[in-house]
Each structure stands twice: as structure tokens, then as C-alpha cells.
Amino acid sequence: MKASGLSIKPTVLKLGGSVITHKDKPLTANLTAIRRLAEEIAEAKIPQLIVVHGGGSFGHTMAKEYAIKEGFRGEASQLLGFTKTHQAMITLNNLVLEALIQHNISAMAIAPSSFIVSKSGRIATMRYEPLKRLLDMGAVPLLYGDAILDFDKGFTILSGDQLVASLAVHFGAKRIVVGIDEDGLFTADPKEHGRPDLIRKCTLRRLRKLRRQIKGTNACDVTGGMQGKIAELMPAIEEGIPTLIVNGTISRRIYKALKGEKVTGTLIQKNEGAKRHH
Ligand SMILES: Nc1ncnc2c1ncn2[C@@H]1O[C@H](COP(=O)(O)OP(=O)(O)OP(=O)(O)O)[C@@H](O)[C@H]1O
Ligand SMILES: [Mg+2]
């Protein structure tokens, strides 16, 4: 038994907003991708799975419009923006939930804003009990990056990436699988540079060096794009949790990553010789 009290190590899967939405079109979901991913998740039959999805063109667009991440300025219009950002996430979440349930996955959506409060943007309090009980029963907790309350800022944005790392560490995850719209982590942003190299394997040491090269913000990502993602995942990698970044827009990649099969992507491990977890 782990300190978390779970008998099996869960897998934490992040479905990137870049996969499940069209990031350049406000409030536009990619239903084809969502349904295919639900099918892959169903087929993988992972005994204990937590699914977290990102905001894509639902969360980020609205969060940016109302500067939610910067905190509450005391204006009623911004407060309305906070609730609208959360609503946009619920809308996207419900599409993911519907697809999962249609594939007979016992997914249970829980709003992060209902059980997490942050302090200056970092998760400060979280109630783990409902998640643990769901996992024990074999249900799949479904969470997302959300507009949440913050002790210092009033409210802020909690990225799906921070949530993924935090849950993985708490529950002693077997692995983290992160789906994005590129083949993995490259030496530079493939959207801006001709043909950067795909980093197939990476240790924490190399990742720290690479971080400076990885692009910071992305026009429609309030949580720092790839640089933010890597920074958030680091604590989980430091705990020895193998983390795989794969292309979720390509069929079967997430399936293979979930199963621990060989797959195109970036495998990040704490040390060179770290044994593969199956
Ligand atoms: N070195 C890099 N390797 C791979 N992708 C990179 C790199 N640098 C920047 N990127 C960009 O990061 C993007 C993925 O991060 P982004 O935050 O936009 O998506 P996401 O996390 O899936 O979405 P969300 O935050 O909504 O969940 C890719 O679309 C890619 O263009
Ligand atoms: Mg992101």
C-alpha cells in the first residue's frame, strides 16, 4: 500500500487542450478527437486511471479575456468572467464526459474549483478523499484545468498540468501520459522552427538544461505553453514518475502510451538507468 492508501498505482492521463479543441478557434471542440480518445482509453482498460483535460480554446480564451490568472481586481465584470471561464470548462468537460460514458467508462467529473484552493497560484489545499474512493471502486475521476479560488489572489487559473503532477505525486502514480498536438518534446517549437529534433528520451538533468530553449508563452495558453508544462511536470519526474509526452492527435499513440507499449514520443525519467514501469 502506498501512503495514498491505494493498492494499485494509478496512471494519470492529460488530454491536452491542443488535442481536444481547435486552439485557434474560440469555444470549438474537436469531437472527432474526443471520441477517438474515449475509444482508446476504453480499450486500454487501465485498472486505475485519472483523466485530466486542458482548457484549449474554451478555458484559455476566456481566462485571457478577463485576466483571471492575474487575480481578482474587485470588479463585478471580472467576477462574471471568472464564473464564465468555469462555465466554459464545464461545457468542454461535459463533451469529454459524454464520450467516455458512451464508451462505458465509469467517468465521474469533479470540478477542481470545488475541492482545491490555491495560494498565489500553487495548489494549497485539496480534498483527496472523493478521488481516492472513486479510484478504489474502479471509477475514473475526470478533472480539468479550472478557474479556482486562491487565498492570496481571490481567484486564479489552475492548469491541468499542475493538477496532473500534483495528483500523480499524491497517489504515487505508475506513469503520467501527456497528450499534445505534436509528437513530443522537440529541441524547439515545431510550429515556429523548420525541423527541430524530437527528444525521444530525456533525463531530469537534460530537461533542466533544455528548459531554457523551450518556448514560454503561446498566444492562446495562459499557463505558459510547453515551458509551463515542463515546469509543472518536473516535481512528478523528480519523484521518479516516468512521464510520456505523445501526440494525441494521432490514432493509437495515447493507447500505446497508456499500455506501456513502445510509442513515438518523449519519455522523461528521473535518471538514465531508471527502470521502466509496467
Ligand atoms: N519544444 C517544444 N516541443 C513541442 N511543442 C512545443 C515546444 N515549444 C512549444 N511547443 C508548443 O506547445 C504546444 C503544446 O502546449 P499547449 O499548452 O499549447 O497545449 P496543451 O497543453 O495541450 O493545451 P492546454 O493547455 O489547453 O491543455 C504545442 O502545440 C507546440 O506548438
Ligand atoms: Mg497548455
Side-chain angles (χ1 to χ4, degrees), residues 6 11 14 17 42 50 66 76 85 91 94 98 106 116 134 137 140 143 157 180 203 208 240 244 260 271 276:
L6 291 171
T11 297
K14 158 97 193 280
I50 301 173
Y66 295 98
T85 305
T91 304
N94 205 42
E98 232 175 273
S106 309
I116 299 170
L134 285 170
M137 280 179 189
V140 175
L143 312 167
I157 295 297
I180 61 168
T203 59
R208 286 206 184 94
L244 254 156
N271 303 309
R276 286 203 58 181

Side-chain angles (χ1 to χ4, degrees), residues 23 161 221 223 229:
K23 268 195 116 159
D161 300 322
D221 197 290
T223 51
K229 189 186 300 299

